[in-house]
Amino acid sequence: MSTSPEAKIDRSLSLIALFAATLFTSASLMFVLQPLFGKLLLPLLGGSPAVWNTCMVFYQSILFLGYLYAHVLSTRQNQHRQILIHGGILLISFLALPLALPDNIAPPTETDPTFWLFWTLLVAIGLPFFVVSTTAPLMQKWFANVGHHTSHDPYYLYAASNVGSLIALLSYPFLLEPNIGLAEQKNYWSVGYLLLCLLIAACAFVLWKSQQKTEIAEPSAIVDPTLSPYTQLHWLALAFVPSSLLLGLTNFISTDIASVPLLWIIPLTLYLLSFVIVFSKWHDSIHPWMVKLQPVVLLPFIAYSFINPAVLPYWLDLCLHLLAFFLAVMVCHGELAKKRPHTRHLTTFYLIMSFAGMLGGMFNTFVAPFIFNAVYEYPIMIVAALLLRPGLKLSLGADKASWLSQLSLPAILILAGIIIFIGSKDLAPYLDTIGVGLILLAGLSYAYRTRPVTLALLTGIIIFFTMGLHGLLSNTLYQERSFFGVLAVRENVLLDEQNHPEKYHELFHGTTKHGAQRLTANHSQTPLTYYSRPGPMGQLFKEYEAVDQDWNIGVVGLGAGALTCYAKNHQQWTLYEIDPLVVEIASNPAYFSYLSQCSRNASMRIGDARLSLAKEPDQQFDLLVMDAFSSDAVPTHLLTQEALKLYFKKLKPNGILAFHITNRHLALKKVLSDHAQQLHLSALIQEFKPQQEIPLVVATDWVVMANKDEILEPLRLSRLGNWQKLPLYFNLRPWTDDFTNIVSIWK
């Protein structure tokens, strides 16, 4: 490398430490702010996974604007003016501190709240998040001009940034959230932001004092400093696909594998880890192994996760998806790191990366839900990631004969798939044969590992053929996506009391059944699943039958509408549901007829339950049923002390609160037990298991609460079910709007 004679090369570690600490702090603040503000917003939007995805798009959009600002500032202004302008931006951003939601805001109830959420985030945290977003490219560009001996290739500092992101991401649910309330989190974040501003000021001081005027030439081994349109488009694709794949996988595993709390952390952790590795000194030795391993893992991944998804336990299936995802992003990000440019194009490189990340998020949040009725964007991006393997340019530039050989096998398979779907009325007898054939085909695809086009097409054909096959066999009558998730109505067959086959309908939200109805006239008004007559809700209505003729009843969470079949002529029912699509499905007699047959005097409220209940008159309800779920999870803001105080404020003095807590992953009874102790409430629990085989009567857990023991005495003494006092739990910090801790109640 060559420098001017007067240039002095700085070799001090303190300079690296300063800039690395600045990047580390910036990234840490960014990834603490994301879940922090997500928790502030969840009470307004019912805990939907789409809240997280929409927040991610907002963060990616502001990140792009921050990178654009850094690019324009560093390429259009001299170093001294850069410092003055950025200093002014820092001062203006202090106006947004301390962090808080705007006053008197409420999301729309009749329309998709995505754009409302976007605007709320912009007003609340747009300025400080913008400043945090500018730090990575701007500080690296400044470092490239301070005359350090590593200034010619400052990309390794990006690893420090991603280490900060990774530590913040993992520390939030396991360290910060269990120990610090939201109010303190906001205050600590503001202090951290002031520290970041001081570190940026120190970096600016170093740059201001630097007399290094000559660019340090980059070794010719890295990349030609000239940029072609193809190179920039390649960067765009290599960053777009992992970004979309991240959100697609997060959505897929929380709806099609398991609705496990904090599951979204794992894909994002792997995503950030890939950046740490590919921009480290070990990248050159690791990247070839990632390229080799990706097609090796592809065979079991396709075979067990798509062709035979029910064969493996969910945790093993999850591991396969995560491994395939990690290898895909490692290959894409590895190719991206290999093609990093000369420092003169550093901000352009990061600008295109951030733009691609934003596009990936926008595709998943704003495009996919409107054109797909399930999470199809995920398998599409699996195929796209295979297209971006090394060798794509060689494949695209191949002659006509080579193109024919690449496309001939996929074309034959597409034709075969069409013939199978059209020509066979009943595929069930051939499933084993088809499955074996698909697995062999997946194995054959390994032979095309050096030909990305053929490998991607073969993989896409196998995945989408099997998804179509599973869709046919599941007898799905209706499937649609809303902001709140994927809803499906499926038709199934059971054996009735005389062992005759009988059709029934089921409602699914993600992986969780939210209701079912038998279709015959003598069973169509029978509540089933979690609301069956032998179960806790049937027992409750049976025990209070003599006194509930004029009850005013509120139900939070509609499902298929089964509970309304307990309604009596003189009762008034109010149904609360956050998702308009659920109301549409439950109101359609072609799918479920509970509402049309049973909801005699019922009114509907669409919107978040807490916001809707707050508007109701006090002491209105005799019975309030809490049955709100997002797939398998109760939104946490409906479980806090403030929420329970609101419920009892709306109940009459002798009113009863019934809480549905059936859950595969969380021991929600711990939270309610603690509330009962803290608020001096009477509480009973029944963990119901059917004593005999009754069609569509399932195990379910319910808690009932009241102001006095005598109100619940009929249930406690009932012979209909085994109602017991809630067990006592100690050392559990009360859940409030300021503090919740999912980890503490994990089963």
Side-chain angles (χ1 to χ4, degrees):
M1 104 188 139
S2 60
T3 60
S4 61
E6 66 275 12
K8 294 182 180 178
I9 305 300
D10 191 335
R11 295 182 175 274
S12 65
L13 288 175
S14 60
L15 206 56
I16 296 177
L18 172 63
F19 280 84
T22 306
L23 289 167
F24 179 90
T25 305
S26 169
S28 299
L29 288 172
M30 183 182 295
F31 275 82
V32 167
L33 184 60
Q34 291 180 22
L36 189 164
F37 228 76
K39 282 194 70 174
L40 286 174
L41 286 162
L42 282 179
L44 302 175
L45 292 161
S48 165
V51 175
W52 169 249
N53 277 2
T54 306
C55 289
M56 282 292 289
V57 174
F58 170 80
Y59 301 138
Q60 289 168 326
S61 302
I62 298 298
L63 190 69
F64 166 69
L65 292 176
Y67 280 31
L68 178 62
Y69 161 84
H71 172 69
V72 172
L73 187 69
S74 61
T75 55
R76 303 286 178 85
Q77 305 293 337
N78 62 43
Q79 293 168 16
H80 288 180
R81 189 166 290 182
Q82 288 177 39
I83 293 169
L84 294 174
I85 292 172
H86 199 58
I89 297 289
L90 293 181
L91 292 174
I92 293 171
S93 70
F94 291 159
L95 296 173
L97 300 179
L99 299 178
L101 282 170
D103 294 332
N104 302 318
I105 59 165
T109 57
E110 300 291 340
T111 58
D112 191 298
T114 300
F115 293 103
W116 171 89
L117 177 55
F118 216 80
W119 174 251
T120 302
L121 286 163
L122 184 64
V123 171
I125 58 172
L127 268 174
F129 196 85
F130 174 78
V131 170
V132 171
S133 300
T134 66
T135 308
L138 192 60
M139 293 305 104
Q140 288 181 67
K141 188 68 174 179
W142 285 4
F143 184 79
N145 293 322
V146 297
H148 194 266
H149 76 283
T150 61
S151 288
H152 67 281
D153 187 21
Y155 292 98
Y156 67 89
L157 290 174
Y158 196 52
S161 174
N162 283 287
V163 168
S165 303
L166 199 56
I167 291 174
L169 176 69
L170 294 175
S171 67
Y172 189 84
F174 301 110
L175 183 63
L176 298 179
E177 187 181 39
N179 297 296
I180 305 173
L182 281 176
E184 287 181 288
Q185 288 178 33
K186 290 187 289 183
N187 292 334
Y188 287 142
W189 194 93
S190 299
V191 172
Y193 184 75
L194 294 175
L195 173 62
L196 173 65
C197 291
L198 291 175
L199 287 170
I200 293 173
C203 293
F205 177 78
V206 170
L207 181 66
W208 189 283
K209 291 295 184 181
S210 174
Q211 297 300 309
Q212 183 73 22
K213 302 295 183 182
T214 307
E215 278 193 68
I216 301 175
E218 184 182 31
S220 58
I222 296 186
V223 179
D224 187 332
T226 60
L227 285 182
S228 68
Y230 173 82
T231 298
Q232 295 180 65
L233 283 173
H234 200 186
W235 289 347
L236 188 77
L238 288 168
F240 170 85
V241 170
S243 171
S244 176
L245 197 55
L246 167 66
L247 294 184
L249 175 65
T250 303
N251 223 342
F252 179 81
I253 61 181
S254 62
T255 56
D256 286 2
I257 295 182
S259 181
V260 179
L262 304 177
L263 202 59
W264 56 267
I265 285 180
I266 305 174
L268 186 53
T269 300
L270 295 176
Y271 181 83
L272 294 173
L273 182 62
S274 71
F275 277 120
V276 174
I277 295 171
V278 301
F279 284 101
S280 71
K281 62 182 179 180
W282 309 292
H283 168 252
D284 291 340
S285 58
I286 291 175
H287 185 60
W289 282 103
M290 297 293 105
V291 174
K292 290 176 183 176
L293 283 172
Q294 189 184 20
V296 174
V297 171
L298 199 63
L299 170 59
F301 170 60
I302 294 174
Y304 290 109
S305 295
F306 288 97
I307 299 174
N308 292 307
V311 171
L312 299 176
Y314 87 85
W315 62 269
L316 197 52
D317 191 22
L318 174 63
C319 289
L320 268 179
H321 280 275
L322 292 171
L323 180 58
F325 165 76
F326 181 64
L327 290 172
V329 297
M330 278 296 294
V331 170
C332 289
H333 289 160
E335 289 294 300
L336 199 59
K338 271 175 60 179
K339 298 180 183 339
R340 64 189 185 276
H342 185 277
T343 53
R344 78 181 66 173
H345 300 304
L346 181 145
T347 54
T348 304
F349 177 68
Y350 284 126
L351 180 64
I352 291 173
M353 278 178 59
S354 65
F355 181 61
M358 180 184 72
L359 287 181
M362 286 186 165
F363 172 74
N364 283 53
T365 304
F366 298 119
V367 178
F370 296 100
I371 62 175
F372 302 137
N373 65 0
V375 191
Y376 295 128
E377 62 271 24
Y378 171 53
I380 287 172
M381 289 304 151
I382 291 172
V383 174
L386 293 173
L387 268 177
L388 295 173
R389 285 172 57 78
L392 174 63
K393 190 172 183 180
L394 191 63
S395 296
L396 292 176
D399 57 28
K400 187 181 292 186
S402 179
W403 267 104
L404 286 173
S405 68
Q406 290 184 72
L407 299 178
S408 57
L409 181 58
I412 292 169
L413 291 173
I414 291 171
L415 183 61
I418 293 171
I419 292 171
I420 289 172
F421 276 110
I422 292 175
S424 180
K425 294 180 180 178
D426 184 9
L427 294 172
Y430 309 101
L431 281 182
D432 290 341
T433 304
I434 292 172
V436 171
L438 289 171
I439 292 171
L440 290 173
L441 192 58
L444 177 64
S445 66
Y446 179 75
Y448 296 93
R449 61 191 179 280
T450 59
R451 304 171 77 174
V453 173
T454 310
L455 179 63
L457 286 174
L458 283 176
T459 303
I461 290 166
I462 296 167
I463 290 175
F464 284 100
F465 178 83
T466 53
M467 289 179 73
L469 198 60
H470 292 313
L472 284 176
L473 295 173
S474 68
N475 296 316
T476 299
L477 303 176
Y478 175 84
Q479 183 166 292
E480 193 54 76
R481 280 173 83 168
S482 72
F483 181 83
F484 302 96
V486 178
L487 288 160
V489 180
R490 294 172 188 157
E491 187 172 85
N492 250 313
V493 178
L494 57 80
L495 293 177
D496 66 11
E497 290 76 3
Q498 287 77 39
N499 278 333
H500 296 145
E502 176 191 320
K503 290 182 178 180
Y504 68 96
H505 289 174
E506 297 174 294
L507 175 64
F508 280 84
H509 184 256
T511 57
T512 305
K513 188 187 296 185
H514 277 217
Q517 183 180 27
R518 296 172 71 172
L519 304 180
T520 56
N522 56 330
H523 290 115
S524 63
Q525 295 186 40
T526 302
L528 300 171
T529 62
Y530 317 108
Y531 322 105
S532 65
R533 296 196 188 279
M537 288 311 294
Q539 297 166 26
L540 187 149
F541 281 104
K542 182 73 173 175
E543 282 298 332
Y544 293 92
E545 191 170 16
V547 295
D548 70 356
Q549 300 297 321
D550 300 314
W551 270 10
N552 194 332
I553 297 172
V555 179
V556 174
L558 177 61
L563 273 175
T564 59
C565 284
Y566 287 107
K568 296 178 180 176
N569 289 330
H570 297 291
Q571 291 176 344
Q572 179 64 46
W573 285 56
T574 307
L575 309 174
Y576 300 89
E577 175 56 52
I578 195 170
D579 190 349
L581 184 58
V582 173
V583 178
E584 183 182 322
I585 292 171
S587 303
N588 188 340
Y591 303 134
F592 300 100
S593 59
Y594 285 130
L595 291 183
S596 59
Q597 294 184 85
C598 302
S599 56
R600 296 171 175 82
N601 298 309
S603 57
M604 191 75 66
R605 304 276 193 276
I606 298 177
D608 178 73
R610 273 188 66 173
L611 296 178
S612 299
L613 282 170
K615 300 173 185 175
E616 300 288 4
D618 292 348
Q619 299 188 8
Q620 176 177 347
F621 298 110
D622 297 279
L623 172 66
L624 184 58
V625 181
M626 300 302 300
D627 184 38
F629 281 79
S630 177
S631 189
D632 191 38
V634 178
T636 55
H637 73 288
L638 299 181
L639 285 163
T640 64
Q641 271 194 15
E642 292 87 346
L644 253 72
K645 288 177 182 177
L646 172 67
Y647 306 151
F648 276 94
K649 187 178 179 183
K650 303 304 173 182
L651 281 168
K652 294 176 182 177
N654 292 329
I656 298 172
L657 175 65
F659 230 113
H660 186 194
I661 61 167
T662 309
N663 197 276
R664 289 172 285 187
H665 309 291
L666 301 178
L668 299 173
K669 62 183 178 181
K670 292 184 178 180
V671 178
L672 295 180
S673 173
D674 183 74
H675 289 335
Q677 293 175 61
Q678 299 287 335
L679 302 177
H680 308 292
L681 300 170
S682 176
L684 300 175
I685 185 172
Q686 183 176 172
E687 296 171 315
F688 171 76
K689 292 179 175 59
Q691 297 301 306
Q692 54 184 328
E693 192 71 29
I694 306 173
L696 298 176
V697 173
V698 300
T700 182
D701 303 337
W702 286 81
V703 170
V704 290
M705 308 177 83
N707 281 311
K708 303 172 186 175
D709 290 341
E710 52 264 33
I711 298 171
L712 301 180
E713 196 68 6
L715 278 178
R716 192 181 69 82
L717 299 176
S718 172
R719 295 181 179 180
L720 296 175
N722 185 24
W723 290 94
Q724 298 179 342
K725 287 192 174 182
L726 265 174
L728 297 177
Y729 297 95
F730 301 97
N731 302 320
L732 182 73
R733 183 172 170 183
W735 280 27
T736 65
D737 287 347
D738 186 62
F739 175 85
T740 57
N741 179 14
I742 292 289
V743 177
S744 66
I745 61 166
W746 215 322
K747 287 184 179 178

